[in-house]
Amino acid sequence: MVTGEAGDVKFKIGDQVVHPHHGVGFVAGLEEKQFKPNAARMYYVISIPNTTLWVPVDRSLSGLRKLSLEDELEQCRQVLQDTPQALSAGKELLTSLSVRIKQGKLTAQCEVVRDLTAFGRQKPLYDTLADFQRTILSVLCQEWAAVKGITQAEASYEINDLLTKGS
């Protein structure tokens, strides 16, 4: 068994994981890579449909985390229905939302989806922010579907229904 550490989380080959911007995949291996001169490091090799990611083992802010458990979805249901946090338009918005996502918590992802959805109802989201929202919602739907054993379409419907109840 090959293991490594990313923050407080240990991953082993075969673990199902979630990358905050790329979605659900699994740990396919652990490799030493050198992407910069004189900077070899250990990386998790993450296999996600249609792509492979190398996530530094020693980088706790990558947002990589194990796939959630079904009981964690109950807390997420509440978060998605809670009153959204007011967001302020500006160039720092995307940065602050990215920091929240990289906490590596499913509830943080739900909060960002909830808050951006509400924000978008008041003022159309611009290109970069709209792309970010679609990506984060897609990743949430992937994980929701994987945890519950349903299709992504069913997960999307359930999540959107919860968001509507909360607005």
Side-chain angles (χ1 to χ4, degrees):
M1 176 190 314
V2 179
T3 62
E5 284 194 20
D8 297 327
V9 181
K10 290 184 180 182
F11 302 109
K12 63 181 186 282
I13 294 175
D15 280 351
Q16 274 196 292
V17 293
V18 180
H19 186 279
H21 296 287
H22 295 281
V24 176
F26 68 93
V27 178
L30 189 64
E31 294 180 7
E32 185 174 44
K33 289 271 191 194
Q34 184 171 326
F35 291 108
K36 296 178 183 177
N38 301 319
R41 335 168 41 167
M42 292 302 294
Y43 288 84
Y44 292 113
V45 180
I46 308 299
S47 180
I48 293 178
N50 304 317
T51 194
T52 299
L53 303 174
W54 285 269
V55 178
V57 168
D58 59 355
R59 188 164 173 214
S60 62
L61 292 178
S62 69
L64 187 69
R65 60 182 170 76
K66 287 188 177 184
L67 186 71
S68 298
L69 301 173
E70 191 162 353
D71 62 343
E72 293 174 81
L73 295 185
E74 192 55 44
Q75 184 179 7
C76 290
R77 285 182 179 88
Q78 185 59 50
V79 168
L80 291 168
Q81 294 178 79
D82 282 347
T83 303
Q85 181 181 26
L87 300 177
S88 300
K91 60 182 179 180
E92 299 85 24
L93 178 58
L94 191 56
T95 301
S96 69
L97 294 173
S98 291
V99 168
R100 285 170 61 188
I101 290 295
K102 288 184 179 181
Q103 291 175 359
K105 296 179 183 175
L106 180 60
T107 53
Q109 191 163 358
C110 291
E111 289 168 358
V112 169
V113 166
R114 176 200 65 207
D115 298 347
L116 272 177
T117 300
F119 186 70
R121 288 181 184 134
Q122 297 169 2
K123 178 181 177 183
L125 302 178
Y126 58 88
D127 296 337
T128 307
L129 197 55
D131 290 344
F132 180 80
Q133 192 233 13
R134 276 191 295 276
T135 298
I136 301 310
L137 179 57
S138 174
V139 170
L140 178 60
C141 290
Q142 286 177 42
E143 183 170 14
W144 201 280
V147 170
K148 290 191 70 179
I150 60 176
T151 67
Q152 285 186 43
E154 291 169 318
S156 177
Y157 178 82
E158 186 175 339
I159 290 166
N160 284 313
D161 186 50
L162 291 166
L163 289 166
T164 302
K165 289 178 182 176
S167 55

